[in-house]
Amino acid sequence: IIKLLEKYEISATWAVVGSLLLDRPNFNDELSDALRNLRSDVRNRYLKLLEQESIWSGKDILKKIQSASIPQEIGSHSFSHLIIGDKKVSREQASNEFINSIRILKQHGVVPESFIFPRNSINYLDELAEAGFKSYRGVEPSWYANLPSKIRKVCHIIDQLLAITPPVVLPSRNGDLLNIPASMLYLPMNGFRRFIPLRSRINKALKGIQKAIKEKKIFHLWFHPFNIATNQEKLLRGLEEIFIKVYEERNKGNLDVMTMKQIVAKVKI
């Protein structure tokens, strides 16, 4: 992913889970909030796995992002991936997530300003601003958002298969924060999504880019890096085709490429 960003001179916003940067966390203490909804037997197996396997490797990922030849923004994806919008999460727990996510990143030379809520579960925005964040990724507008759950799932599949043009957005002020809504998730290829052709993903993104140019709005593409691993060869190839279009349109003067932090700076002007 970083090689593609460098090749096409694209700066992206990366959202990092802070606890992955700990040397060796006290799993029972540091991750108690994130694991609290698991059954006790599942929780215990999970903790034993983390303690036995050398999978706590977030520092090298952060260094790769920081060393990219094209500057990348590093934001936060919370401290322990706590689902902030869960009704069981208290104001104090949310505030601690925000504060601790900043604290751990500062230890690595980063002062994060952009926040991505785990599972897009948004809450406690006053506490987010008090912690020092400037923006967050808002929920993607959807033509089927208000339909019943089962119908939404069907509409989602239709939307992806037909590569229906995704929404383009404008940031909006929410108190001291800037809400920068998502436009499109670059879908992984696991589960039922493996039956959705790669071309549908590409075409959908290309339509979003053209719509952003036409309407002078933002096309906000996002995904988790592990989504790419569900079919690395195909999804990287598709991502490159999207980046080529971005590169061409930017060179024509039709398109700006900005991180979330850069959008905040532009809106302030």
Side-chain angles (χ1 to χ4, degrees), residues 87 136-137 212:
K87 294 179 180 178
Y136 64 97
R137 186 184 69 205

Side-chain angles (χ1 to χ4, degrees), residues 4-5 9 17 37 49 62 77 90 104 108 142 171 244 253 256:
L4 286 178
L5 292 170
E9 300 174 8
V17 175
N37 289 329
L49 172 68
L62 181 61
H77 195 35
S90 69
I104 191 71
H108 295 272
S142 168
I244 288 171
D256 290 326

Side-chain angles (χ1 to χ4, degrees), residues 19-20 29 37 98 187 189 193 199 218 220:
S19 59
L20 296 177
D29 294 338
N37 289 329
F98 303 146
L187 286 181
M189 283 187 162
R193 291 167 170 170
R199 178 48 52 185
I218 295 170
H220 188 169

Side-chain angles (χ1 to χ4, degrees), residues 18-243:
S19 59
L20 296 177
L21 303 176
L22 294 168
D23 289 328
R24 285 299 297 175
N26 181 331
F27 294 106
N28 286 291
D29 294 338
E30 299 281 4
L31 301 183
S32 59
D33 286 341
L35 303 179
R36 74 189 188 289
N37 289 329
L38 296 179
R39 288 200 326 264
S40 60
D41 59 328
V42 176
R43 172 192 167 94
N44 290 335
R45 288 203 304 271
Y46 182 59
L47 291 173
K48 286 180 180 178
L49 172 68
L50 292 179
E51 290 167 355
Q52 292 172 2
E53 301 292 336
S54 300
I55 61 173
W56 211 262
S57 57
K59 287 185 179 181
D60 63 321
I61 298 172
L62 181 61
K63 288 178 181 177
K64 286 179 181 178
I65 300 169
Q66 289 176 305
S67 63
S69 61
I70 300 298
Q72 305 293 309
E73 180 195 1
I74 296 172
S76 173
H77 195 35
S78 80
F79 180 73
S80 66
H81 207 269
L82 183 66
I83 310 305
I84 307 295
D86 190 316
K87 294 179 180 178
K88 296 179 182 178
V89 173
S90 69
R91 192 174 301 275
E92 182 181 6
Q93 286 175 315
S95 183
N96 286 337
E97 279 286 306
F98 303 146
I99 292 169
N100 287 331
S101 67
I102 291 178
R103 173 183 56 80
I104 191 71
L105 280 168
K106 279 185 175 179
Q107 294 174 12
H108 295 272
V110 177
V111 181
E113 295 185 11
S114 305
F115 192 87
I116 309 299
F117 282 89
R119 295 187 191 169
N120 291 330
S121 184
I122 298 171
N123 203 358
Y124 297 118
L125 293 177
D126 289 343
E127 286 70 25
L128 184 70
E130 287 173 9
F133 288 100
K134 306 297 183 185
S135 71
Y136 64 97
R137 186 184 69 205
V139 176
E140 175 185 332
S142 168
W143 57 270
Y144 51 85
N146 295 324
L147 297 175
S149 176
K150 291 183 179 179
I151 298 177
R152 283 204 309 271
K153 290 179 180 179
V154 174
C155 291
H156 171 70
I157 296 172
I158 293 172
D159 181 88
Q160 298 297 328
L161 281 171
L162 299 182
I164 294 174
T165 304
V168 290
V169 300
L170 289 174
S172 61
R173 184 64 60 185
N174 193 334
D176 292 328
L177 294 164
L178 198 68
N179 173 12
I180 308 173
S183 292
M184 173 187 161
L185 166 63
Y186 185 59
L187 286 181
M189 283 187 162
N190 57 335
F192 78 88
R193 291 167 170 170
R194 69 182 183 274
F195 299 113
I196 297 174
L198 177 66
R199 178 48 52 185
S200 295
R201 294 166 175 78
I202 297 169
N203 288 345
K204 190 173 182 69
L206 297 182
K207 289 177 182 179
I209 293 168
Q210 289 298 335
K211 187 174 182 181
I213 293 170
K214 181 179 179 180
E215 298 186 13
K216 299 187 184 303
K217 292 183 179 180
I218 295 170
F219 172 61
H220 188 169
L221 183 70
W222 69 279
F223 57 88
H224 303 86
F226 71 81
N227 293 155
I228 303 298
T230 57
N231 192 322
Q232 183 168 314
E233 187 273 329
K234 283 188 175 181
L235 289 172
L236 284 177
R237 176 157 44 87
L239 198 60
E240 181 164 22
E241 188 168 336
I242 295 167
F243 285 180

Side-chain angles (χ1 to χ4, degrees), residues 171 178 180 218 258-268:
L178 198 68
I180 308 173
I218 295 170
M258 292 183 287
T259 63
M260 292 176 67
K261 183 176 180 178
Q262 289 170 328
I263 291 172
V264 171
K266 191 173 183 67
V267 169
K268 284 184 176 180

